[in-house]
Amino acid sequence: SVAIDPPYALVGASRGNRDESILRKQGSVYLFQQDTLGTWLLINEVAVGDLGEFTQFGSSVAMSDGMAVVGAPGFTGGGAAFVFQYPEMGPTEPVILQPTEEIPPYSYGRSVAISNGAIAIGGRYIVAVHRCSVDSGVVTTELEQIVWAEQPYRRTLGFAESVAIFDRYLVIGDPRSYSDGIASKGQALI
C-alpha cells in the first residue's frame, strides 16, 4: 500500500519487516522524504511493538497534513487503525482505533483514508469516520459516523475494500458487488 503527501511518501509492507520472518506477517511501514534533488530518502521505519502474528500492519496507509493512518486488519480483536504524526512517527505511541460495541470486529483497518482531520476506516460491511485533532502534540480522535453496508451488499466481501474521503464526501469501493444475486463489475458508493 502507498500514500503520498509531498514531500513525504508512506509505503506499507504488511507481510513482514527486515527484522523478522516474513511468515509472521506482522508488517511495517516506511516513511520517505523527497529531497531538493528529487531523490526519495528513507527517514523512518515503523513496526509497532509486538503486535502478534498475522496483524498485517501496513496493509492500508493514508496520509494528510502531518497525520498518517496505518491499517492492521489482522490485529487482535478484529483489526485496528494506528494514527501517527509524521515525519516523527515515533517514539510517541500511536492512537489505536479498534472495533467497539458500535463497530463490529470484521477486518477493521482493511482500508483507510484521511483528509482535513477526518479519518475513514473500512472493515467488512462497515466504514467508520473519526474526527482527528492535535493539541499540544497530542492526537485525539472521536467517532463521528458509521456507514453500514445495506442488503444486498452484505453478501459480498468487497464492501469497503477501499475508501476515500474529502471534504464531506465519503467514497466506498465495493469491487465484488452483487445485483439480484448475480456478481457485477463492482461499484463505488458516494
Side-chain angles (χ1 to χ4, degrees):
S1 57
V2 295
I4 192 164
D5 186 20
Y8 300 102
L10 191 61
V11 178
S14 64
R15 305 245 188 248
N17 60 37
R18 292 185 287 180
D19 298 330
E20 65 177 67
S21 165
I22 197 165
L23 298 176
R24 286 192 65 213
K25 297 182 183 177
Q26 181 181 21
S28 58
V29 293
Y30 303 89
L31 181 67
F32 293 86
Q33 183 175 14
Q34 189 176 33
D35 68 14
T36 56
L37 300 174
T39 303
W40 289 95
L41 306 170
L42 177 64
I43 62 170
N44 207 338
E45 175 185 354
V46 178
V48 181
D50 186 15
L51 297 178
E53 296 182 338
F54 309 107
T55 58
Q56 298 172 328
F57 179 77
S59 65
S60 57
V61 296
M63 60 191 318
S64 176
D65 301 321
M67 301 300 295
V69 183
V70 179
F75 188 71
T76 302
F82 294 76
V83 182
F84 298 90
Q85 294 181 68
Y86 64 87
E88 297 84 14
M89 293 187 71
T92 61
E93 291 295 316
V95 172
I96 303 173
L97 301 173
Q98 290 185 268
T100 63
E101 289 180 12
E102 302 163 291
I103 302 169
Y106 303 121
S107 300
Y108 195 62
R110 71 190 280 172
S111 58
V112 296
I114 185 170
S115 178
N116 297 322
I119 299 172
I121 304 170
R124 192 178 310 154
Y125 314 128
I126 190 170
V127 176
V129 178
H130 299 262
R131 182 59 53 189
C132 177
S133 61
V134 179
D135 186 20
S136 301
V138 177
V139 178
T140 59
T141 62
E142 180 179 340
L143 180 63
E144 190 171 84
Q145 179 182 9
I146 298 174
V147 178
W148 285 89
E150 297 294 331
Q151 294 293 349
Y153 307 121
R154 289 193 183 190
R155 292 186 304 209
T156 134
L157 299 178
F159 184 84
E161 198 164 291
S162 59
V163 293
I165 192 165
F166 181 75
D167 200 14
R168 67 179 208 269
Y169 298 101
L170 173 64
V171 181
I172 302 169
D174 186 357
R176 297 182 292 245
S177 65
Y178 286 80
S179 177
D180 297 324
I182 300 171
S184 72
K185 293 181 182 178
Q187 63 184 346
L189 306 164
I190 300 174

mmCIF file of all heavy atoms in Angstrom, residues 23-48:
data_model
loop_
_atom_site.group_PDB
_atom_site.id
_atom_site.type_symbol
_atom_site.label_atom_id
_atom_site.label_comp_id
_atom_site.label_asym_id
_atom_site.label_seq_id
_atom_site.Cartn_x
_atom_site.Cartn_y
_atom_site.Cartn_z
ATOM 1 N N LEU A 23 7.087 -14.999 7.493
ATOM 2 C CA LEU A 23 5.988 -15.909 7.801
ATOM 3 C C LEU A 23 5.071 -15.379 8.887
ATOM 4 O O LEU A 23 3.915 -15.755 8.965
ATOM 5 C CB LEU A 23 6.540 -17.275 8.186
ATOM 6 C CG LEU A 23 7.344 -17.986 7.101
ATOM 7 C CD1 LEU A 23 7.924 -19.274 7.641
ATOM 8 C CD2 LEU A 23 6.480 -18.231 5.878
ATOM 9 N N ARG A 24 5.559 -14.489 9.742
ATOM 10 C CA ARG A 24 4.723 -13.954 10.821
ATOM 11 C C ARG A 24 3.739 -12.915 10.296
ATOM 12 O O ARG A 24 2.718 -12.677 10.915
ATOM 13 C CB ARG A 24 5.590 -13.331 11.913
ATOM 14 C CG ARG A 24 6.282 -14.397 12.733
ATOM 15 C CD ARG A 24 6.909 -13.838 13.978
ATOM 16 N NE ARG A 24 5.873 -13.337 14.856
ATOM 17 C CZ ARG A 24 6.040 -12.299 15.650
ATOM 18 N NH1 ARG A 24 7.162 -11.640 15.674
ATOM 19 N NH2 ARG A 24 5.069 -11.902 16.441
ATOM 20 N N LYS A 25 4.064 -12.260 9.224
ATOM 21 C CA LYS A 25 3.194 -11.253 8.606
ATOM 22 C C LYS A 25 2.759 -10.169 9.585
ATOM 23 O O LYS A 25 1.624 -9.758 9.613
ATOM 24 C CB LYS A 25 1.974 -11.908 7.962
ATOM 25 C CG LYS A 25 2.331 -12.851 6.841
ATOM 26 C CD LYS A 25 1.109 -13.432 6.201
ATOM 27 C CE LYS A 25 1.495 -14.417 5.128
ATOM 28 N NZ LYS A 25 0.367 -15.068 4.525
ATOM 29 N N GLN A 26 3.684 -9.719 10.417
ATOM 30 C CA GLN A 26 3.372 -8.649 11.359
ATOM 31 C C GLN A 26 3.245 -7.323 10.625
ATOM 32 O O GLN A 26 2.291 -6.603 10.831
ATOM 33 C CB GLN A 26 4.448 -8.553 12.435
ATOM 34 C CG GLN A 26 4.163 -7.476 13.460
ATOM 35 C CD GLN A 26 5.249 -7.377 14.498
ATOM 36 O OE1 GLN A 26 6.373 -7.802 14.284
ATOM 37 N NE2 GLN A 26 4.929 -6.800 15.622
ATOM 38 N N GLY A 27 4.199 -7.001 9.789
ATOM 39 C CA GLY A 27 4.136 -5.807 8.960
ATOM 40 C C GLY A 27 4.895 -4.619 9.500
ATOM 41 O O GLY A 27 5.258 -4.558 10.669
ATOM 42 N N SER A 28 5.125 -3.671 8.608
ATOM 43 C CA SER A 28 5.783 -2.416 8.954
ATOM 44 C C SER A 28 5.450 -1.381 7.887
ATOM 45 O O SER A 28 4.889 -1.711 6.842
ATOM 46 C CB SER A 28 7.304 -2.612 9.075
ATOM 47 O OG SER A 28 7.824 -3.115 7.867
ATOM 48 N N VAL A 29 5.780 -0.124 8.183
ATOM 49 C CA VAL A 29 5.607 0.953 7.204
ATOM 50 C C VAL A 29 6.908 1.737 7.122
ATOM 51 O O VAL A 29 7.675 1.805 8.088
ATOM 52 C CB VAL A 29 4.425 1.891 7.545
ATOM 53 C CG1 VAL A 29 3.102 1.169 7.436
ATOM 54 C CG2 VAL A 29 4.574 2.520 8.903
ATOM 55 N N TYR A 30 7.129 2.323 5.963
ATOM 56 C CA TYR A 30 8.345 3.072 5.687
ATOM 57 C C TYR A 30 7.966 4.478 5.232
ATOM 58 O O TYR A 30 7.145 4.640 4.327
ATOM 59 C CB TYR A 30 9.169 2.376 4.600
ATOM 60 C CG TYR A 30 9.525 0.956 4.974
ATOM 61 C CD1 TYR A 30 8.681 -0.108 4.653
ATOM 62 C CD2 TYR A 30 10.688 0.680 5.682
ATOM 63 C CE1 TYR A 30 8.996 -1.407 5.027
ATOM 64 C CE2 TYR A 30 11.007 -0.620 6.055
ATOM 65 C CZ TYR A 30 10.157 -1.649 5.714
ATOM 66 O OH TYR A 30 10.461 -2.940 6.088
ATOM 67 N N LEU A 31 8.566 5.482 5.874
ATOM 68 C CA LEU A 31 8.315 6.879 5.526
ATOM 69 C C LEU A 31 9.513 7.408 4.747
ATOM 70 O O LEU A 31 10.657 7.312 5.200
ATOM 71 C CB LEU A 31 8.091 7.718 6.786
ATOM 72 C CG LEU A 31 7.793 9.199 6.556
ATOM 73 C CD1 LEU A 31 6.439 9.372 5.862
ATOM 74 C CD2 LEU A 31 7.823 9.962 7.878
ATOM 75 N N PHE A 32 9.232 7.953 3.575
ATOM 76 C CA PHE A 32 10.259 8.535 2.703
ATOM 77 C C PHE A 32 10.024 10.027 2.580
ATOM 78 O O PHE A 32 8.881 10.493 2.661
ATOM 79 C CB PHE A 32 10.204 7.908 1.304
ATOM 80 C CG PHE A 32 10.579 6.456 1.270
ATOM 81 C CD1 PHE A 32 9.630 5.473 1.520
ATOM 82 C CD2 PHE A 32 11.878 6.061 0.989
ATOM 83 C CE1 PHE A 32 9.962 4.130 1.489
ATOM 84 C CE2 PHE A 32 12.228 4.726 0.954
ATOM 85 C CZ PHE A 32 11.267 3.755 1.212
ATOM 86 N N GLN A 33 11.110 10.771 2.350
ATOM 87 C CA GLN A 33 11.018 12.197 2.082
ATOM 88 C C GLN A 33 11.832 12.503 0.830
ATOM 89 O O GLN A 33 12.957 12.019 0.678
ATOM 90 C CB GLN A 33 11.549 13.015 3.259
ATOM 91 C CG GLN A 33 11.410 14.511 3.045
ATOM 92 C CD GLN A 33 11.822 15.304 4.284
ATOM 93 O OE1 GLN A 33 12.437 14.783 5.206
ATOM 94 N NE2 GLN A 33 11.477 16.572 4.294
ATOM 95 N N GLN A 34 11.245 13.299 -0.044
ATOM 96 C CA GLN A 34 11.938 13.673 -1.276
ATOM 97 C C GLN A 34 12.809 14.894 -0.999
ATOM 98 O O GLN A 34 12.332 15.906 -0.456
ATOM 99 C CB GLN A 34 10.928 13.984 -2.381
ATOM 100 C CG GLN A 34 11.558 14.166 -3.726
ATOM 101 C CD GLN A 34 10.522 14.371 -4.814
ATOM 102 O OE1 GLN A 34 9.473 14.955 -4.576
ATOM 103 N NE2 GLN A 34 10.814 13.868 -6.006
ATOM 104 N N ASP A 35 14.094 14.806 -1.367
ATOM 105 C CA ASP A 35 14.977 15.946 -1.158
ATOM 106 C C ASP A 35 14.875 16.918 -2.330
ATOM 107 O O ASP A 35 14.116 16.688 -3.277
ATOM 108 C CB ASP A 35 16.422 15.490 -0.905
ATOM 109 C CG ASP A 35 17.108 14.858 -2.105
ATOM 110 O OD1 ASP A 35 16.605 14.982 -3.250
ATOM 111 O OD2 ASP A 35 18.160 14.214 -1.909
ATOM 112 N N THR A 36 15.622 18.010 -2.265
ATOM 113 C CA THR A 36 15.538 19.059 -3.284
ATOM 114 C C THR A 36 16.025 18.605 -4.655
ATOM 115 O O THR A 36 15.696 19.232 -5.660
ATOM 116 C CB THR A 36 16.346 20.296 -2.849
ATOM 117 O OG1 THR A 36 17.700 19.888 -2.575
ATOM 118 C CG2 THR A 36 15.738 20.926 -1.611
ATOM 119 N N LEU A 37 16.775 17.499 -4.713
ATOM 120 C CA LEU A 37 17.242 16.964 -5.991
ATOM 121 C C LEU A 37 16.275 15.933 -6.570
ATOM 122 O O LEU A 37 16.519 15.386 -7.641
ATOM 123 C CB LEU A 37 18.635 16.346 -5.833
ATOM 124 C CG LEU A 37 19.735 17.296 -5.364
ATOM 125 C CD1 LEU A 37 21.035 16.538 -5.115
ATOM 126 C CD2 LEU A 37 19.935 18.415 -6.365
ATOM 127 N N GLY A 38 15.186 15.641 -5.844
ATOM 128 C CA GLY A 38 14.199 14.678 -6.322
ATOM 129 C C GLY A 38 14.438 13.246 -5.876
ATOM 130 O O GLY A 38 13.723 12.340 -6.290
ATOM 131 N N THR A 39 15.432 13.044 -5.008
ATOM 132 C CA THR A 39 15.736 11.703 -4.516
ATOM 133 C C THR A 39 14.874 11.396 -3.294
ATOM 134 O O THR A 39 14.734 12.228 -2.401
ATOM 135 C CB THR A 39 17.224 11.607 -4.120
ATOM 136 O OG1 THR A 39 18.019 11.954 -5.261
ATOM 137 C CG2 THR A 39 17.581 10.205 -3.651
ATOM 138 N N TRP A 40 14.301 10.187 -3.269
ATOM 139 C CA TRP A 40 13.490 9.759 -2.133
ATOM 140 C C TRP A 40 14.388 9.071 -1.110
ATOM 141 O O TRP A 40 15.057 8.088 -1.418
ATOM 142 C CB TRP A 40 12.377 8.815 -2.579
ATOM 143 C CG TRP A 40 11.316 9.534 -3.351
ATOM 144 C CD1 TRP A 40 11.217 9.655 -4.703
ATOM 145 C CD2 TRP A 40 10.217 10.250 -2.796
ATOM 146 N NE1 TRP A 40 10.107 10.398 -5.028
ATOM 147 C CE2 TRP A 40 9.474 10.773 -3.879
ATOM 148 C CE3 TRP A 40 9.758 10.501 -1.501
ATOM 149 C CZ2 TRP A 40 8.319 11.528 -3.699
ATOM 150 C CZ3 TRP A 40 8.615 11.252 -1.321
ATOM 151 C CH2 TRP A 40 7.914 11.759 -2.408
ATOM 152 N N LEU A 41 14.378 9.590 0.122
ATOM 153 C CA LEU A 41 15.227 9.074 1.184
ATOM 154 C C LEU A 41 14.367 8.452 2.280
ATOM 155 O O LEU A 41 13.373 9.049 2.720
ATOM 156 C CB LEU A 41 16.058 10.208 1.794
ATOM 157 C CG LEU A 41 16.895 11.031 0.806
ATOM 158 C CD1 LEU A 41 17.473 12.252 1.496
ATOM 159 C CD2 LEU A 41 17.981 10.164 0.212
ATOM 160 N N LEU A 42 14.742 7.264 2.743
ATOM 161 C CA LEU A 42 14.057 6.615 3.854
ATOM 162 C C LEU A 42 14.395 7.380 5.125
ATOM 163 O O LEU A 42 15.561 7.507 5.483
ATOM 164 C CB LEU A 42 14.494 5.150 3.979
ATOM 165 C CG LEU A 42 13.912 4.374 5.157
ATOM 166 C CD1 LEU A 42 12.404 4.241 5.027
ATOM 167 C CD2 LEU A 42 14.553 2.992 5.236
ATOM 168 N N ILE A 43 13.380 7.910 5.801
ATOM 169 C CA ILE A 43 13.648 8.656 7.031
ATOM 170 C C ILE A 43 13.092 7.972 8.277
ATOM 171 O O ILE A 43 13.460 8.342 9.387
ATOM 172 C CB ILE A 43 13.127 10.113 6.952
ATOM 173 C CG1 ILE A 43 11.617 10.167 6.760
ATOM 174 C CG2 ILE A 43 13.849 10.875 5.862
ATOM 175 C CD1 ILE A 43 11.045 11.568 6.909
ATOM 176 N N ASN A 44 12.221 6.977 8.098
ATOM 177 C CA ASN A 44 11.691 6.289 9.267
ATOM 178 C C ASN A 44 11.083 4.946 8.869
ATOM 179 O O ASN A 44 10.502 4.810 7.797
ATOM 180 C CB ASN A 44 10.630 7.142 9.958
ATOM 181 C CG ASN A 44 10.499 6.851 11.436
ATOM 182 O OD1 ASN A 44 10.872 5.772 11.889
ATOM 183 N ND2 ASN A 44 9.982 7.806 12.185
ATOM 184 N N GLU A 45 11.224 3.968 9.751
ATOM 185 C CA GLU A 45 10.581 2.666 9.599
ATOM 186 C C GLU A 45 9.832 2.400 10.896
ATOM 187 O O GLU A 45 10.385 2.571 11.977
ATOM 188 C CB GLU A 45 11.606 1.561 9.367
ATOM 189 C CG GLU A 45 10.994 0.181 9.333
ATOM 190 C CD GLU A 45 12.030 -0.928 9.214
ATOM 191 O OE1 GLU A 45 13.219 -0.637 9.039
ATOM 192 O OE2 GLU A 45 11.623 -2.094 9.302
ATOM 193 N N VAL A 46 8.578 2.014 10.792
ATOM 194 C CA VAL A 46 7.777 1.775 11.987
ATOM 195 C C VAL A 46 7.196 0.371 11.939
ATOM 196 O O VAL A 46 6.547 -0.016 10.971
ATOM 197 C CB VAL A 46 6.627 2.803 12.114
ATOM 198 C CG1 VAL A 46 5.779 2.502 13.343
ATOM 199 C CG2 VAL A 46 7.167 4.218 12.169
ATOM 200 N N ALA A 47 7.451 -0.396 12.993
ATOM 201 C CA ALA A 47 6.802 -1.688 13.243
ATOM 202 C C ALA A 47 6.371 -1.605 14.696
ATOM 203 O O ALA A 47 7.193 -1.642 15.589
ATOM 204 C CB ALA A 47 7.756 -2.843 13.003
ATOM 205 N N VAL A 48 5.097 -1.417 14.943
ATOM 206 C CA VAL A 48 4.602 -1.086 16.273
ATOM 207 C C VAL A 48 4.698 -2.264 17.226
ATOM 208 O O VAL A 48 3.846 -3.151 17.223
ATOM 209 C CB VAL A 48 3.148 -0.575 16.210
ATOM 210 C CG1 VAL A 48 2.652 -0.207 17.586
ATOM 211 C CG2 VAL A 48 3.057 0.606 15.285
#
